[in-house]
Amino acid sequence: MGRSRAQAIAAAQPSAAADGAHGAPRLSFGVESSGAQGLWATATISLRLPAWMLDDLKVLANKRDVSYQSLLKVFLAERIERELRKER
């Protein structure tokens, strides 16, 4: 059986962004220029997080030996899949 959507999404590597305005940490996911469509198409977003949340995310990512951006994508993908399953 193939990888789950969450695993596939986690495989895409985001780029780190500088702190946003007002010193709020921000994550930015790069846009693929190859014209990818569907699951692999990406869009750039900025996400403001409380500093403690980003710190905790980095601790969890370090324990798993992955980047915090990748771990965040896995967490989001898993939660989105769970919420969508509840609606069915």
Side-chain angles (χ1 to χ4, degrees), residues 57 60 64 70-80:
L57 183 62
L60 292 171
R64 292 167 172 82
S70 293
L71 184 59
L72 180 60
K73 284 196 292 184
V74 170
F75 286 169
L76 286 170
E78 289 173 352
R79 182 57 186 255
I80 290 168

Side-chain angles (χ1 to χ4, degrees), residues 12-48:
Q13 291 298 314
S15 58
D19 284 351
H22 311 294
R26 159 180 97 159
L27 302 177
S28 180
F29 295 86
V31 175
E32 292 207 9
S33 60
S34 63
Q37 296 179 1
L39 181 62
W40 301 110
T42 60
T44 299
I45 65 166
S46 292
L47 177 64
R48 296 184 191 281

